[in-house]
Structures are given as structure tokens and as C-alpha cells.
Amino acid sequence: MPAKNVTVNRAALGHRIAYALRHPRRVPRHMSRAARDAWLRCRRPDHIAYYRAVMRSDTRADPDAAVGSSSRERWLALGAMQFDYLVGHGLRPEHRLLEIGCGNLRAGWRFIRHLEAGHYYGIDISPDILFAAQDTVVEMELQKRLPTLTPVRDLTLRFLPDAHFDVIHAHSVFSHSPLPVIEECLAEVGRILAPGGWFDFTFDRTEGEEHQVLREDFYYRTGTLLALADKYGLAARFMDDWEELPHGQSKIRVTHGPAHESSSERP
Ligand SMILES: C[S@@+](CC[C@H](N)C(=O)[O-])C[C@H]1O[C@@H](n2cnc3c(N)ncnc32)[C@H](O)[C@@H]1O
């Protein structure tokens, strides 16, 4: 994995031409993806419906590729990276974990195996990738861990209980999300986060102009996301130790803000 490039604007015409000249063999695939995405977008102007359709098409071709892994080996390695990081930060079997955008359980199957039965809850906007997630549960023989896998329409999280989850995890989800979707999640996530719990999410970071490519990949400045968390009374910090890992995205950790922690201490 090359070092993160946080200055380039991938939507800029100059970048696209230079990239095409450097990688001519990738051009036909990109063109066909762009045409497919344009077709899906014009039929589904709502972002979630559009991205659900992208996932449907990608999952039919290959569920591992649909979550961004070019091979089973990469799928296993990326899941292990997420898992090792969270365990290194204190994820314990008795914790209750919500995975937002769980995909086909690339990391999820390891969480399910690590946690007590019934303590894993995965949500995703794509029913098709959740069917593939069920296949992963079978393949990894994790039926007795009774994971919950639930399709969602949005990230209001309104059907989940207050102060329930010790750890909330979203890997490579906000990198595919426009800002209003991220804001919806940050506005609501504090309600379901247990006292002392944390919410980690990755994002595609830019230090230049914020931009998106094909409405599939979104690039944000760290400050934008930290400010959004702050708007909803959450504390958020950039995770420097994640930067040391061979991964193209960055990570932010969100916890309850000081106002919430002091009010929950009151008798
Ligand atoms: C790149 S995949 C990553 C899957 C998983 N987190 C992993 O690391 O393997 C992104 C996943 O997030 C889901 N997703 C995208 N936007 C979402 C949203 N707003 N709410 C819930 N899931 C979402 C997609 O359907 C897809 O399964």
C-alpha cells in the first residue's frame, strides 16, 4: 500500500488525465464503472438508494471485491488489521459492538468470534452484502455466536437502545458517504454509545480541497469531521497510531464529550 496522498484532488481534470496516461490499462474499467454509476445515479438520485444499487451490482460480481478487497488474501488481511487494532485498544469479549456498514464481515467474523454470543450487531444499507455476510457466518462456523445482521435505510439508528454499545466501528463507510450522511450518524450515535464507549470510523483524508469521485469516494479534511462531532457534543480525535498501518484511509475516534460524562456521573 503506497503512502497516503492527502494533497491530490482526484476529481480535478488535470489529475484524471495524468492518471490515465500513467495507467492506460485502467481506463476502460474506469470508463465502464463511470457509465454504470451515471446510469444508477440518474435512476436513483438519493445517495443511499444509489449506493445500495452500486453494492448490489458489485456484490453480484464478487462480494469480497464489493467491500474493496481484490483477493481473499487481501480480504483476510484487511479484516485482521481492523480486528488487531480494536483489540489492541481494549475490545474485550464482554463488550457489545455495533459495526456500521459491516459488509460481508471482512472484520466482522473476527469480532463475532472474539465477542460473547449475541454481542455483535452489524448494520448495512445493502441487503445483498448482508446475504454474503450470512455466508461468511456459515463459512466461519459462527452460528452459535448468534450475530445480528440488519439492513438499514439510513443512519438515524433510531431502533437501537440508549447507551447500549461499548464500541461502534465503521471501516471504509464514511469514505463512501456525503457529509449529510455522516452528520446524521454523528447526530445520533451519542445516544446509543455506552458511557466510556468509543466510536471509530475511517475516512479518506485530504489536506486540500474536499472532493468526491463518481459519488462513490469522498475526501474530507480532518477538521471538517472533528467540527461535526463537536457540533453534537462529542469529543473526537485523530488516531495517529492508525497512520502507521499500511492503509490508505485515516481514522477518527469519537467519545462522549465532557458535558455528557459529567452529567452521567450525577446521582
Ligand atoms: C467498503 S465496504 C466496507 C465493509 C466493511 N466495513 C469492511 O471493512 O469490510 C462499505 C460498506 O458500507 C456500507 N455502507 C455504505 N454507506 C452506508 C451507510 N450510510 N449506512 C450503512 N452502511 C453503509 C456498504 O453497503 C458496504 O457494505
Side-chain angles (χ1 to χ4, degrees):
M1 171 74 57
K4 293 183 206 353
N5 187 340
V6 293
T7 51
V8 69
N9 182 340
R10 290 162 185 78
L13 186 60
H15 168 78
R16 285 155 64 191
I17 292 170
Y19 187 88
L21 291 173
R22 273 201 316 276
H23 306 283
R25 289 218 202 126
R26 295 187 192 167
V27 173
R29 191 176 172 277
H30 180 82
M31 296 302 282
S32 81
R33 192 161 190 106
R36 184 214 48 186
D37 285 5
W39 167 245
L40 294 176
R41 260 197 319 274
C42 79
R43 295 182 65 203
R44 297 173 185 80
D46 163 63
H47 177 79
I48 297 295
Y50 156 67
Y51 201 71
R52 184 180 292 122
V54 168
M55 286 302 293
R56 160 161 266 203
S57 163
D58 286 354
T59 303
R60 279 182 179 167
D62 177 353
D64 291 359
V67 299
S69 291
S70 54
S71 67
R72 197 24 73 133
E73 196 187 359
R74 290 293 307 144
W75 186 87
L76 288 166
L78 223 297
M81 187 188 297
Q82 297 177 49
F83 176 76
D84 291 344
Y85 185 84
L86 267 191
V87 171
H89 278 253
L91 176 70
R92 297 194 305 272
E94 67 271 24
H95 282 148
R96 291 180 193 279
L97 182 142
L98 171 69
E99 183 169 10
I100 296 174
C102 60
N104 68 338
L105 301 180
R106 182 165 57 170
W109 75 269
R110 296 176 192 271
F111 296 139
I112 294 165
R113 190 177 59 174
H114 178 68
L115 296 169
E116 290 174 13
H119 281 217
Y120 176 90
Y121 204 110
I123 62 175
D124 204 289
I125 52 165
S126 166
D128 297 274
I129 202 72
L130 289 175
F131 299 147
Q134 291 174 357
D135 294 339
T136 303
V137 172
V138 174
E139 183 189 341
M140 302 301 180
E141 301 182 357
L142 293 165
Q143 294 92 333
K144 287 197 175 142
R145 297 293 174 142
L146 217 61
T148 305
L149 300 169
T150 302
V152 290
R153 255 188 251 117
D154 53 42
L155 285 179
T156 56
L157 309 168
R158 60 190 185 283
F159 62 98
L160 294 169
D162 288 2
H164 187 72
F165 293 101
D166 304 291
V167 179
I168 303 178
H169 176 73
H171 181 96
S172 199
V173 180
F174 289 175
S175 45
H176 303 296
S177 302
L179 209 54
V181 171
I182 302 176
E183 176 155 11
E184 180 177 68
C185 181
L186 290 173
E188 304 298 334
V189 76
R191 181 185 65 76
I192 62 167
L193 191 61
W198 74 91
F199 168 34
D200 280 2
F201 64 83
T202 61
F203 67 107
D204 273 326
R205 178 162 62 95
T206 181
E207 287 177 0
E209 198 181 331
E210 298 188 339
H211 58 282
Q212 54 83 19
V213 179
L214 300 180
R215 295 205 67 75
E216 281 199 35
D217 299 312
F218 293 78
Y219 294 80
Y220 296 109
R221 296 174 69 91
T222 306
T224 299
L225 301 178
L226 297 182
L228 209 50
D230 182 63
K231 179 175 171 187
Y232 293 99
L234 300 164
R237 67 189 163 99
F238 185 78
M239 301 303 282
D240 288 308
D241 60 349
W242 176 262
E243 295 296 297
E244 291 157 20
L245 298 173
H247 192 269
Q249 296 181 14
S250 294
K251 194 185 279 277
I252 284 177
R253 175 161 298 172
V254 167
T255 55
H256 286 297
H260 178 280
E261 294 295 1
S262 56
S263 70
S264 61
E265 277 163 21
R266 274 187 227 121

